[in-house]
Amino acid sequence: MVDDSQILAIGDHRPREVIEPLQESSLSFDVIIPDGSYQDPRKYFSFLIRCWRTTRDDEIKLILINGFDPFSLLAAVTGKLQGVPVIVRVAGPPHQVKRAKLRESITDWQLLSWLTHGLHLALTKVILRLVDTSISVSENVQRDLVNNSSLTEH
């Protein structure tokens, strides 16, 4: 861990997309890349403890999460509980994509797929309620966020 870190970046899905821009900046940062699969509950607990301690001990000023997964949710909760602002980086229009997958699953009568995509959409909505703002890679993505969450255009 870096003692003077200002940003804690969480990189589960494509971590280089978050890490590389930070490396090119003059900002100090620390990165946590969750180790393990989504099926092992111990990994979530281990990640939560590591995230909590890093945020507290390194006096983190900002948490940057990449997308909408269970680790992003835990990082967002950590930020809220410790009073640290959380930003989510969004690469694609989450509501548009997830709703399309839900419709496709219903049309094809794939119940398990429908449940999975429904849970992903719910997870996305919860994370968007917890974060302070977003970094969107395009106007289309920003529009999706503004139209489907409490985030405002910036």
Side-chain angles (χ1 to χ4, degrees):
M1 281 188 256
V2 180
D3 290 336
D4 63 347
S5 295
Q6 296 177 353
I7 299 172
L8 175 60
I10 307 300
D12 181 33
H13 180 69
R14 297 185 203 155
R16 70 177 180 6
E17 292 177 356
V18 173
I19 297 168
E20 288 175 1
L22 289 172
Q23 288 173 330
E24 294 174 10
S25 75
S26 61
L27 300 170
S28 61
F29 65 95
D30 198 356
V31 178
I32 297 177
I33 299 174
D35 54 347
S37 70
Y38 291 116
Q39 288 82 24
D40 187 352
R42 295 172 298 181
K43 299 295 182 182
Y44 293 107
F45 185 72
S46 171
F47 172 82
L48 182 61
I49 297 298
R50 186 170 172 209
C51 191
W52 184 271
R53 287 181 178 160
T54 302
T55 304
R56 181 196 63 208
D57 296 346
D58 289 354
E59 298 181 17
I60 297 294
K61 309 266 186 299
L62 175 76
I63 297 175
L64 175 61
I65 59 178
N66 190 28
F68 306 98
D69 58 57
F71 294 109
S72 293
L73 174 64
L74 293 174
V77 168
T78 298
K80 283 297 167 197
L81 292 176
Q82 292 198 31
V84 176
V86 180
I87 296 177
V88 61
R89 179 189 172 278
V90 186
H95 297 90
Q96 183 179 342
V97 170
K98 288 175 174 67
R99 285 185 181 132
K101 289 184 178 187
L102 273 171
R103 282 191 298 275
E104 182 182 311
S105 298
I106 290 171
T107 303
D108 295 342
W109 289 92
Q110 298 174 350
L111 181 58
L112 186 56
S113 178
W114 179 80
L115 288 171
T116 301
H117 293 303
L119 286 172
H120 284 165
L121 182 59
L123 181 63
T124 298
K125 289 178 176 284
V126 170
I127 291 171
L128 286 171
R129 285 192 184 118
L130 292 170
V131 301
D132 296 284
T133 193
S134 65
I135 298 171
S136 304
V137 299
S138 71
E139 288 181 25
N140 181 41
V141 173
Q142 184 63 29
R143 204 170 20 261
D144 180 83
L145 294 173
V146 169
N147 291 339
N148 293 289
S149 73
S150 60
L151 295 178
T152 58
E153 197 157 346
H154 53 278

